[in-house]
Amino acid sequence: MQTVSIHVVDIAHGRVARGMKVDVFHLEGTDATHVVTGTVGNNGVVDGLNGHHTLFEVGVYELRLHVGGYYRQLKTPLPSPAFMDVQVFRFGLADLSQHYHLPVKLTPWGLSCFRGA
């Protein structure tokens, strides 16, 4: 079973955030170890995670969403510096037999992320 899936929707434009870069890091104390980098696909799901359940272990992770870069690609007017450039969301994995789905809804000015079904 896939341990983690991430789905990103750009609610400012009413579409999935296709092309947005997403990084996942594993946190241990003050160290952050890169786990995987993916891109939001046509279906809104971040590629690079499918079939990589062995990348994850019990612990704390950090999702890094490259929001500013995504909106710059769309030529969305942003201030300099952007209000949200790389947005970070920390989450914990306690039970690897479960699936952790992280739906993200975003605009250039804010986002919502939670554990979905």
PDB file of all heavy atoms in Angstrom, residues 10-35:
ATOM      1  N   ASP A  10      -5.313  24.313  -7.050  1.00  0.00           N
ATOM      2  CA  ASP A  10      -5.181  25.772  -7.106  1.00  0.00           C
ATOM      3  C   ASP A  10      -6.592  26.344  -7.148  1.00  0.00           C
ATOM      4  O   ASP A  10      -7.211  26.399  -8.214  1.00  0.00           O
ATOM      5  CB  ASP A  10      -4.380  26.147  -8.362  1.00  0.00           C
ATOM      6  CG  ASP A  10      -4.344  27.635  -8.642  1.00  0.00           C
ATOM      7  OD1 ASP A  10      -4.913  28.418  -7.859  1.00  0.00           O
ATOM      8  OD2 ASP A  10      -3.743  28.006  -9.667  1.00  0.00           O
ATOM      9  N   ILE A  11      -7.117  26.740  -5.995  1.00  0.00           N
ATOM     10  CA  ILE A  11      -8.499  27.232  -5.958  1.00  0.00           C
ATOM     11  C   ILE A  11      -8.612  28.653  -6.505  1.00  0.00           C
ATOM     12  O   ILE A  11      -9.705  29.101  -6.832  1.00  0.00           O
ATOM     13  CB  ILE A  11      -9.123  27.115  -4.545  1.00  0.00           C
ATOM     14  CG1 ILE A  11      -8.354  27.911  -3.517  1.00  0.00           C
ATOM     15  CG2 ILE A  11      -9.239  25.648  -4.149  1.00  0.00           C
ATOM     16  CD1 ILE A  11      -9.025  27.958  -2.152  1.00  0.00           C
ATOM     17  N   ALA A  12      -7.494  29.362  -6.648  1.00  0.00           N
ATOM     18  CA  ALA A  12      -7.528  30.699  -7.252  1.00  0.00           C
ATOM     19  C   ALA A  12      -7.880  30.611  -8.736  1.00  0.00           C
ATOM     20  O   ALA A  12      -8.509  31.520  -9.284  1.00  0.00           O
ATOM     21  CB  ALA A  12      -6.188  31.404  -7.075  1.00  0.00           C
ATOM     22  N   HIS A  13      -7.475  29.520  -9.395  1.00  0.00           N
ATOM     23  CA  HIS A  13      -7.742  29.344 -10.814  1.00  0.00           C
ATOM     24  C   HIS A  13      -8.737  28.217 -11.096  1.00  0.00           C
ATOM     25  O   HIS A  13      -9.042  27.936 -12.255  1.00  0.00           O
ATOM     26  CB  HIS A  13      -6.436  29.069 -11.573  1.00  0.00           C
ATOM     27  CG  HIS A  13      -5.532  30.244 -11.618  1.00  0.00           C
ATOM     28  ND1 HIS A  13      -4.445  30.381 -10.778  1.00  0.00           N
ATOM     29  CD2 HIS A  13      -5.555  31.350 -12.397  1.00  0.00           C
ATOM     30  CE1 HIS A  13      -3.834  31.521 -11.031  1.00  0.00           C
ATOM     31  NE2 HIS A  13      -4.485  32.132 -12.006  1.00  0.00           N
ATOM     32  N   GLY A  14      -9.202  27.537 -10.044  1.00  0.00           N
ATOM     33  CA  GLY A  14     -10.187  26.482 -10.217  1.00  0.00           C
ATOM     34  C   GLY A  14      -9.672  25.271 -10.971  1.00  0.00           C
ATOM     35  O   GLY A  14     -10.380  24.708 -11.808  1.00  0.00           O
ATOM     36  N   ARG A  15      -8.446  24.853 -10.657  1.00  0.00           N
ATOM     37  CA  ARG A  15      -7.849  23.702 -11.353  1.00  0.00           C
ATOM     38  C   ARG A  15      -6.796  23.060 -10.466  1.00  0.00           C
ATOM     39  O   ARG A  15      -6.419  23.618  -9.439  1.00  0.00           O
ATOM     40  CB  ARG A  15      -7.216  24.139 -12.666  1.00  0.00           C
ATOM     41  CG  ARG A  15      -6.115  25.172 -12.468  1.00  0.00           C
ATOM     42  CD  ARG A  15      -5.474  25.594 -13.745  1.00  0.00           C
ATOM     43  NE  ARG A  15      -4.025  25.516 -13.570  1.00  0.00           N
ATOM     44  CZ  ARG A  15      -3.163  25.685 -14.529  1.00  0.00           C
ATOM     45  NH1 ARG A  15      -3.565  25.912 -15.753  1.00  0.00           N
ATOM     46  NH2 ARG A  15      -1.881  25.613 -14.298  1.00  0.00           N
ATOM     47  N   VAL A  16      -6.301  21.911 -10.870  1.00  0.00           N
ATOM     48  CA  VAL A  16      -5.200  21.314 -10.130  1.00  0.00           C
ATOM     49  C   VAL A  16      -3.942  22.149 -10.379  1.00  0.00           C
ATOM     50  O   VAL A  16      -3.833  22.845 -11.389  1.00  0.00           O
ATOM     51  CB  VAL A  16      -4.973  19.833 -10.523  1.00  0.00           C
ATOM     52  CG1 VAL A  16      -6.211  19.003 -10.206  1.00  0.00           C
ATOM     53  CG2 VAL A  16      -4.567  19.674 -11.967  1.00  0.00           C
ATOM     54  N   ALA A  17      -2.997  22.069  -9.461  1.00  0.00           N
ATOM     55  CA  ALA A  17      -1.763  22.877  -9.540  1.00  0.00           C
ATOM     56  C   ALA A  17      -0.708  22.156 -10.376  1.00  0.00           C
ATOM     57  O   ALA A  17       0.419  21.940  -9.938  1.00  0.00           O
ATOM     58  CB  ALA A  17      -1.261  23.192  -8.140  1.00  0.00           C
ATOM     59  N   ARG A  18      -1.084  21.779 -11.589  1.00  0.00           N
ATOM     60  CA  ARG A  18      -0.212  21.015 -12.492  1.00  0.00           C
ATOM     61  C   ARG A  18       1.136  21.720 -12.688  1.00  0.00           C
ATOM     62  O   ARG A  18       1.200  22.902 -12.982  1.00  0.00           O
ATOM     63  CB  ARG A  18      -0.886  20.825 -13.845  1.00  0.00           C
ATOM     64  CG  ARG A  18      -0.111  19.926 -14.782  1.00  0.00           C
ATOM     65  CD  ARG A  18      -0.787  19.708 -16.115  1.00  0.00           C
ATOM     66  NE  ARG A  18      -0.885  20.953 -16.865  1.00  0.00           N
ATOM     67  CZ  ARG A  18      -2.030  21.544 -17.192  1.00  0.00           C
ATOM     68  NH1 ARG A  18      -3.174  21.016 -16.845  1.00  0.00           N
ATOM     69  NH2 ARG A  18      -2.026  22.658 -17.869  1.00  0.00           N
ATOM     70  N   GLY A  19       2.203  20.965 -12.466  1.00  0.00           N
ATOM     71  CA  GLY A  19       3.553  21.486 -12.663  1.00  0.00           C
ATOM     72  C   GLY A  19       4.223  22.014 -11.405  1.00  0.00           C
ATOM     73  O   GLY A  19       5.409  22.314 -11.423  1.00  0.00           O
ATOM     74  N   MET A  20       3.489  22.129 -10.302  1.00  0.00           N
ATOM     75  CA  MET A  20       4.099  22.646  -9.078  1.00  0.00           C
ATOM     76  C   MET A  20       5.061  21.619  -8.483  1.00  0.00           C
ATOM     77  O   MET A  20       4.741  20.440  -8.379  1.00  0.00           O
ATOM     78  CB  MET A  20       3.053  23.016  -8.031  1.00  0.00           C
ATOM     79  CG  MET A  20       3.679  23.724  -6.834  1.00  0.00           C
ATOM     80  SD  MET A  20       2.477  24.343  -5.656  1.00  0.00           S
ATOM     81  CE  MET A  20       2.043  22.838  -4.853  1.00  0.00           C
ATOM     82  N   LYS A  21       6.231  22.082  -8.098  1.00  0.00           N
ATOM     83  CA  LYS A  21       7.239  21.228  -7.471  1.00  0.00           C
ATOM     84  C   LYS A  21       6.908  21.047  -5.990  1.00  0.00           C
ATOM     85  O   LYS A  21       6.529  21.995  -5.299  1.00  0.00           O
ATOM     86  CB  LYS A  21       8.623  21.873  -7.624  1.00  0.00           C
ATOM     87  CG  LYS A  21       9.746  21.106  -6.982  1.00  0.00           C
ATOM     88  CD  LYS A  21      11.063  21.854  -7.168  1.00  0.00           C
ATOM     89  CE  LYS A  21      12.169  21.265  -6.327  1.00  0.00           C
ATOM     90  NZ  LYS A  21      13.392  22.082  -6.407  1.00  0.00           N
ATOM     91  N   VAL A  22       7.088  19.802  -5.512  1.00  0.00           N
ATOM     92  CA  VAL A  22       6.844  19.463  -4.111  1.00  0.00           C
ATOM     93  C   VAL A  22       7.999  18.592  -3.618  1.00  0.00           C
ATOM     94  O   VAL A  22       8.378  17.628  -4.271  1.00  0.00           O
ATOM     95  CB  VAL A  22       5.508  18.697  -3.954  1.00  0.00           C
ATOM     96  CG1 VAL A  22       5.298  18.281  -2.508  1.00  0.00           C
ATOM     97  CG2 VAL A  22       4.343  19.535  -4.453  1.00  0.00           C
ATOM     98  N   ASP A  23       8.575  18.963  -2.475  1.00  0.00           N
ATOM     99  CA  ASP A  23       9.632  18.184  -1.840  1.00  0.00           C
ATOM    100  C   ASP A  23       9.104  17.597  -0.537  1.00  0.00           C
ATOM    101  O   ASP A  23       8.290  18.221   0.139  1.00  0.00           O
ATOM    102  CB  ASP A  23      10.841  19.060  -1.483  1.00  0.00           C
ATOM    103  CG  ASP A  23      11.482  19.708  -2.676  1.00  0.00           C
ATOM    104  OD1 ASP A  23      11.773  19.007  -3.653  1.00  0.00           O
ATOM    105  OD2 ASP A  23      11.697  20.934  -2.631  1.00  0.00           O
ATOM    106  N   VAL A  24       9.606  16.411  -0.187  1.00  0.00           N
ATOM    107  CA  VAL A  24       9.302  15.809   1.114  1.00  0.00           C
ATOM    108  C   VAL A  24      10.628  15.516   1.809  1.00  0.00           C
ATOM    109  O   VAL A  24      11.541  14.948   1.216  1.00  0.00           O
ATOM    110  CB  VAL A  24       8.486  14.508   0.966  1.00  0.00           C
ATOM    111  CG1 VAL A  24       8.210  13.903   2.337  1.00  0.00           C
ATOM    112  CG2 VAL A  24       7.182  14.763   0.213  1.00  0.00           C
ATOM    113  N   PHE A  25      10.723  15.947   3.070  1.00  0.00           N
ATOM    114  CA  PHE A  25      11.906  15.727   3.898  1.00  0.00           C
ATOM    115  C   PHE A  25      11.502  14.984   5.160  1.00  0.00           C
ATOM    116  O   PHE A  25      10.420  15.205   5.701  1.00  0.00           O
ATOM    117  CB  PHE A  25      12.560  17.059   4.291  1.00  0.00           C
ATOM    118  CG  PHE A  25      13.274  17.740   3.169  1.00  0.00           C
ATOM    119  CD1 PHE A  25      12.584  18.506   2.245  1.00  0.00           C
ATOM    120  CD2 PHE A  25      14.652  17.615   3.034  1.00  0.00           C
ATOM    121  CE1 PHE A  25      13.239  19.129   1.208  1.00  0.00           C
ATOM    122  CE2 PHE A  25      15.324  18.240   1.997  1.00  0.00           C
ATOM    123  CZ  PHE A  25      14.609  18.995   1.081  1.00  0.00           C
ATOM    124  N   HIS A  26      12.396  14.118   5.646  1.00  0.00           N
ATOM    125  CA  HIS A  26      12.215  13.428   6.920  1.00  0.00           C
ATOM    126  C   HIS A  26      13.004  14.210   7.958  1.00  0.00           C
ATOM    127  O   HIS A  26      14.181  14.513   7.742  1.00  0.00           O
ATOM    128  CB  HIS A  26      12.729  11.990   6.821  1.00  0.00           C
ATOM    129  CG  HIS A  26      12.544  11.200   8.068  1.00  0.00           C
ATOM    130  ND1 HIS A  26      13.556  10.471   8.645  1.00  0.00           N
ATOM    131  CD2 HIS A  26      11.461  11.008   8.855  1.00  0.00           C
ATOM    132  CE1 HIS A  26      13.105   9.877   9.733  1.00  0.00           C
ATOM    133  NE2 HIS A  26      11.832  10.193   9.868  1.00  0.00           N
ATOM    134  N   LEU A  27      12.365  14.549   9.082  1.00  0.00           N
ATOM    135  CA  LEU A  27      13.010  15.348  10.124  1.00  0.00           C
ATOM    136  C   LEU A  27      13.418  14.465  11.295  1.00  0.00           C
ATOM    137  O   LEU A  27      12.625  13.657  11.781  1.00  0.00           O
ATOM    138  CB  LEU A  27      12.070  16.442  10.621  1.00  0.00           C
ATOM    139  CG  LEU A  27      11.516  17.394   9.562  1.00  0.00           C
ATOM    140  CD1 LEU A  27      10.594  18.410  10.210  1.00  0.00           C
ATOM    141  CD2 LEU A  27      12.633  18.087   8.810  1.00  0.00           C
ATOM    142  N   GLU A  28      14.664  14.623  11.724  1.00  0.00           N
ATOM    143  CA  GLU A  28      15.171  13.957  12.926  1.00  0.00           C
ATOM    144  C   GLU A  28      15.983  14.983  13.690  1.00  0.00           C
ATOM    145  O   GLU A  28      17.081  15.339  13.261  1.00  0.00           O
ATOM    146  CB  GLU A  28      16.038  12.759  12.546  1.00  0.00           C
ATOM    147  CG  GLU A  28      15.264  11.635  11.900  1.00  0.00           C
ATOM    148  CD  GLU A  28      16.142  10.434  11.613  1.00  0.00           C
ATOM    149  OE1 GLU A  28      16.363   9.648  12.547  1.00  0.00           O
ATOM    150  OE2 GLU A  28      16.598  10.319  10.466  1.00  0.00           O
ATOM    151  N   GLY A  29      15.410  15.463  14.795  1.00  0.00           N
ATOM    152  CA  GLY A  29      16.082  16.528  15.546  1.00  0.00           C
ATOM    153  C   GLY A  29      16.182  17.770  14.679  1.00  0.00           C
ATOM    154  O   GLY A  29      15.194  18.253  14.157  1.00  0.00           O
ATOM    155  N   THR A  30      17.407  18.255  14.484  1.00  0.00           N
ATOM    156  CA  THR A  30      17.608  19.436  13.646  1.00  0.00           C
ATOM    157  C   THR A  30      17.991  19.066  12.214  1.00  0.00           C
ATOM    158  O   THR A  30      18.221  19.951  11.391  1.00  0.00           O
ATOM    159  CB  THR A  30      18.708  20.341  14.244  1.00  0.00           C
ATOM    160  OG1 THR A  30      19.920  19.584  14.348  1.00  0.00           O
ATOM    161  CG2 THR A  30      18.302  20.870  15.610  1.00  0.00           C
ATOM    162  N   ASP A  31      18.063  17.768  11.916  1.00  0.00           N
ATOM    163  CA  ASP A  31      18.431  17.314  10.575  1.00  0.00           C
ATOM    164  C   ASP A  31      17.199  17.077   9.711  1.00  0.00           C
ATOM    165  O   ASP A  31      16.202  16.524  10.182  1.00  0.00           O
ATOM    166  CB  ASP A  31      19.236  16.018  10.639  1.00  0.00           C
ATOM    167  CG  ASP A  31      20.576  16.196  11.321  1.00  0.00           C
ATOM    168  OD1 ASP A  31      21.138  17.304  11.249  1.00  0.00           O
ATOM    169  OD2 ASP A  31      21.055  15.227  11.937  1.00  0.00           O
ATOM    170  N   ALA A  32      17.303  17.478   8.442  1.00  0.00           N
ATOM    171  CA  ALA A  32      16.252  17.225   7.461  1.00  0.00           C
ATOM    172  C   ALA A  32      16.867  16.429   6.317  1.00  0.00           C
ATOM    173  O   ALA A  32      17.787  16.891   5.656  1.00  0.00           O
ATOM    174  CB  ALA A  32      15.666  18.527   6.952  1.00  0.00           C
ATOM    175  N   THR A  33      16.361  15.220   6.096  1.00  0.00           N
ATOM    176  CA  THR A  33      16.864  14.353   5.044  1.00  0.00           C
ATOM    177  C   THR A  33      15.870  14.324   3.892  1.00  0.00           C
ATOM    178  O   THR A  33      14.682  14.025   4.100  1.00  0.00           O
ATOM    179  CB  THR A  33      17.062  12.915   5.577  1.00  0.00           C
ATOM    180  OG1 THR A  33      17.930  12.958   6.703  1.00  0.00           O
ATOM    181  CG2 THR A  33      17.642  12.013   4.507  1.00  0.00           C
ATOM    182  N   HIS A  34      16.347  14.636   2.688  1.00  0.00           N
ATOM    183  CA  HIS A  34      15.482  14.632   1.515  1.00  0.00           C
ATOM    184  C   HIS A  34      14.978  13.220   1.247  1.00  0.00           C
ATOM    185  O   HIS A  34      15.753  12.265   1.207  1.00  0.00           O
ATOM    186  CB  HIS A  34      16.252  15.160   0.295  1.00  0.00           C
ATOM    187  CG  HIS A  34      15.452  15.168  -0.955  1.00  0.00           C
ATOM    188  ND1 HIS A  34      15.576  14.198  -1.913  1.00  0.00           N
ATOM    189  CD2 HIS A  34      14.498  16.018  -1.388  1.00  0.00           C
ATOM    190  CE1 HIS A  34      14.733  14.457  -2.897  1.00  0.00           C
ATOM    191  NE2 HIS A  34      14.063  15.558  -2.608  1.00  0.00           N
ATOM    192  N   VAL A  35      13.663  13.081   1.061  1.00  0.00           N
ATOM    193  CA  VAL A  35      13.050  11.787   0.782  1.00  0.00           C
ATOM    194  C   VAL A  35      12.722  11.681  -0.705  1.00  0.00           C
ATOM    195  O   VAL A  35      13.126  10.736  -1.365  1.00  0.00           O
ATOM    196  CB  VAL A  35      11.774  11.578   1.626  1.00  0.00           C
ATOM    197  CG1 VAL A  35      11.077  10.282   1.262  1.00  0.00           C
ATOM    198  CG2 VAL A  35      12.095  11.615   3.112  1.00  0.00           C
TER     199      VAL A  35
END
